[in-house]
Amino acid sequence: MTGRDRGRGGLAARLRGIDTVFRRELATVARTPGYAALAVGFGVALFGLVAVGGGGATGFVPAIVDLLLPVEALVPAAAVVLGYRALLADGATGELAVIRTYPVGIASYVAGVLLARFVALAVVVGGPAALVGVYVGLTAAPDTGIFATHAGVDSPLLYVRFLAFMLGLGAAYLSVAAAVSAIASSRRSAIALGALVLGGGVLGGDLALLESLSAGTAAAATPDLLALTPNGAFRGLVFEHVIGVAFAPETDFVPTGRALASLGGWTLGGAVGGGASVALARRVDAAIERVRSGE
Amino acid sequence: MSDEPRASGSASDDTGLTDGGDGPTDGADDTVTDGNALAAVSDVSRSYGGVTVLDGVSLSVSPGVTAVVGPNGSGKSTLLGILAGVIEPTTGEVRHGGADARKPVGYLPQRVPFRDGFTARETLAFYGRLVDADPDAALERVGLSDAADKRVESLSGGMRRLLGIAQALLGDPPVAVLDEPASGLDPTMRERAFRTAAERAPEGTAVVISSHNLELVEAHADHLVVVDRGRIAAAGPIDRLRADYDVESVDELYRAATGREGGIGTESAGSADEDGGVHVTGVSDR
């Protein structure tokens, strides 16, 4: 893949390229002790939250209520840790230049890297969260006092939905973090950009919404606006399809389709942006030099 | 080249090695498609931060060993990177005659970049899967079979370079571009690295090697390209260049072509970059 005039082969070749990069990336993640520590830390945090909050001893929905707010920060943080160097590592060491002499396209390369990181996210975030679910399922008992503050119809299915939305939130952050990593020039700048993604995503969306409302935007538009950000979409989906199933709210927390499209869009947009950054970096660099040279 | 008429070779000669520089060439497209040249760059320039590192160079390479020599900062690595297709030239064109090959160009950068945590076999297996090549055969070819299960980070510098050469030759590319494969190695490993790469030449591969070691160049190379100040100072078959410059050795040829009193000298471990002047201020030889 050293030039656009090179043959890329067919679908089978593309799939082989994705699979090959995927395996290498997954092996890299599996051999990095830090990610195992991240999973353990995430699990400890979740167990601690449901234990301290009391919801974990009562049922799935109370546990989800306890976890919802912290998860909005913890999952993006874990996703950014998994993604902030995903598309930088090979470029920084120079190995990407070598890989590009092989018949694997940029799209296949980025897809392989991101798919492996998504699997890692499912293990690092989904694994401990699933264990918490198992724990709640095995130990929860009715507690009137808790139910008084956590009204809801309890069901493991609700927790599974919560897990799915959680992974959707993580995928969005992972993809955006990976895309941003593609434009980083060093590990330090990658960390800075990753922190920017995390802070901007976790706090920026809600602050922007509040700013918008204070600027005169109709309150009725809140659900639509909320769905635009990953955190807003996640929170809305959890309220809409997990916590809110026990009662019939008068209005939607968030339009489901819009929220799902938002999470999918951030994920896809990050992947496309990352791929474009990797693909165009050399040409952009050369174009800048042409401008400098006045040619 | 251009500054030195004797080094001129604007038309593709019987070696397929063409030097452009300021002078006109018969076109990279022609040399790639019509001659036995397997890769060519045509009137390529490259700058970094506005400083020109390579200036209007044309070159084509054909089967055999082509050695690229020159002082540090002269633009060798940039030229090799452009030839390999991993560096985008600011201007000019790059063509590969083996575009139909599964892997048209093999490339070993100056710094061997393999990912830590993987063994030598796993590293080559990753690349091998992309071109249906056997990693164990590739390891055997460079004499690294015994180190197959060693992790990349625990390999010596020489072994890493051999692994890099094995990677570059994986999939039998028609063109192999090796940027200082013998840099920083002891004499035995240097010879081994050069010999391993050169062994592919009789099989029809165009092996392009940059090096500061003129003794190895003399022993293994068929063609020579002398790069100086971002331009080609001399290019052609070594025997012909010797005759043109009326010199006995590649070292003398280098000095004559670049106008320098001191040759590149014999490379020693860890001192590969200590000779020669850096002529492009503030710009590394990328």
Side-chain angles (χ1 to χ4, degrees):
Chain A
M1 107 182 161
T2 56
R4 56 181 175 271
D5 53 344
R6 288 187 180 175
R8 293 290 203 279
L11 179 62
R14 287 172 189 264
L15 292 176
R16 168 175 284 207
I18 293 172
D19 178 55
T20 305
V21 174
F22 171 82
R23 290 184 190 202
R24 170 178 180 261
E25 197 67 21
L26 202 57
T28 300
V29 173
R31 295 174 189 188
T32 305
Y35 295 135
L38 180 65
V40 171
F42 188 75
V44 168
L46 294 190
F47 273 100
L49 286 166
V50 295
V52 172
T58 310
F60 291 107
V61 172
I64 291 167
V65 171
D66 287 340
L67 292 175
L68 180 59
L69 188 60
V71 153
E72 276 198 49
L74 291 175
V75 169
V80 168
V81 169
L82 281 165
Y84 84 102
R85 291 186 70 231
L87 296 178
L88 165 70
D90 285 329
T93 61
E95 190 160 12
L96 183 59
V98 172
I99 293 172
R100 294 187 76 168
T101 64
Y102 285 79
V104 53
I106 289 295
S108 298
Y109 172 77
V110 172
V113 169
L114 287 184
L115 285 174
R117 296 277 165 172
F118 288 149
V119 170
L121 177 75
V123 173
V124 168
V125 168
L131 287 177
V132 168
V134 171
Y135 168 77
V136 171
L138 292 175
T139 62
D143 182 318
T144 307
I146 296 297
F147 266 112
T149 56
H150 296 82
V153 177
D154 214 10
S155 164
L157 179 63
L158 297 179
Y159 194 81
V160 172
R161 283 185 191 171
F162 177 65
L163 279 186
F165 295 145
M166 188 192 295
L167 291 179
L169 174 69
Y173 272 92
L174 173 55
S175 192
V176 172
V180 169
S181 81
I183 61 171
S185 57
S186 66
R187 182 171 185 157
R188 184 174 297 180
S189 61
I191 291 173
L193 290 171
L196 195 64
V197 168
L198 186 60
V202 172
L203 299 175
D206 287 347
L207 291 176
L209 178 61
L210 289 174
E211 175 66 25
S212 173
L213 290 173
S214 67
T217 302
T222 301
D224 285 340
L225 293 175
L226 194 65
L228 293 178
T229 64
N231 283 66
F234 166 71
R235 194 184 312 133
L237 286 168
V238 173
F239 272 105
E240 188 77 30
H241 296 283
V242 180
I243 297 173
V245 295
F247 55 92
E250 292 181 359
T251 57
D252 288 345
F253 290 106
V254 70
T256 300
R258 195 181 181 96
L260 290 174
S262 173
L263 289 178
W266 282 101
T267 304
L268 188 63
V272 171
S277 296
V278 174
L280 298 177
R282 295 187 306 185
R283 290 182 192 171
V284 169
D285 183 46
I288 291 171
E289 288 300 331
R290 271 193 289 277
V291 172
R292 278 176 168 159
S293 306
E295 292 171 354
Chain B
M1 109 151 100
S2 34
D3 292 335
E4 172 50 71
R6 285 187 299 170
S8 179
S10 59
S12 183
D13 54 33
D14 57 356
T15 68
L17 194 87
T18 309
D19 162 39
D22 291 341
T25 73
D26 58 351
D29 293 0
D30 294 339
T31 59
V32 170
T33 55
D34 298 339
N36 59 351
L38 295 172
V41 298
S42 177
D43 198 24
V44 295
S45 298
R46 176 71 216 202
S47 60
Y48 291 104
V51 179
T52 299
V53 176
L54 211 58
D55 186 13
V57 169
S58 295
L59 179 76
S60 65
V61 293
S62 55
V65 177
T66 298
V68 179
V69 301
N72 290 336
S74 59
K76 299 187 302 295
S77 291
T78 301
L79 174 59
L80 264 60
I82 290 172
L83 187 64
V86 301
I87 294 176
E88 188 85 7
T90 312
T91 59
E93 290 187 1
V94 186
R95 293 295 175 91
H96 296 105
D100 293 336
R102 173 167 277 187
K103 176 185 167 189
V105 179
Y107 177 59
L108 170 65
Q110 198 167 351
R111 292 178 187 168
V112 182
F114 300 129
R115 192 174 275 193
D116 288 350
F118 290 84
T119 66
R121 178 185 285 115
E122 287 171 336
T123 299
L124 288 190
F126 163 66
Y127 290 106
R129 265 180 64 82
L130 296 171
V131 288
D132 284 330
D134 179 8
D136 288 317
L139 285 168
E140 187 176 356
R141 189 157 60 190
V142 297
L144 283 181
S145 293
D146 292 341
D149 294 323
K150 276 192 174 184
R151 292 198 171 194
V152 167
E153 62 269 29
S154 65
L155 295 176
S156 68
M159 294 167 99
R160 280 177 70 104
R161 288 209 168 270
L162 288 172
L163 184 64
I165 293 170
Q167 171 281 128
L169 301 178
L170 211 56
D172 298 323
V175 178
V177 178
L178 311 175
D179 195 354
E180 300 198 25
S183 175
L185 305 184
D186 64 53
T188 305
M189 292 296 270
R190 260 184 261 159
E191 169 67 24
R192 187 169 158 191
F194 242 84
R195 183 165 26 85
T196 301
E199 282 172 356
R200 300 302 299 274
E203 300 171 20
T205 303
V207 180
V208 184
I209 302 177
S210 72
S211 180
H212 289 275
N213 192 310
L214 299 183
E215 289 179 6
L216 286 172
V217 168
E218 183 125 35
H220 295 283
D222 305 305
H223 317 299
L224 184 69
V225 176
V226 182
V227 183
D228 190 24
R229 296 178 175 88
R231 296 184 174 215
I232 292 181
I238 289 182
D239 291 341
R240 197 196 74 199
L241 289 176
R242 279 203 198 99
D244 286 350
Y245 281 86
D246 192 24
V247 294
E248 294 295 322
S249 67
V250 169
D251 187 54
E252 291 175 297
L253 176 57
Y254 170 82
R255 278 185 279 168
T258 61
R260 285 177 171 73
E261 286 303 312
I264 288 182
T266 301
E267 179 184 300
S268 59
S271 65
D273 296 329
E274 293 169 5
D275 49 64
V278 178
H279 303 288
V280 186
T281 306
V283 178
S284 64
D285 186 13
R286 286 187 272 184

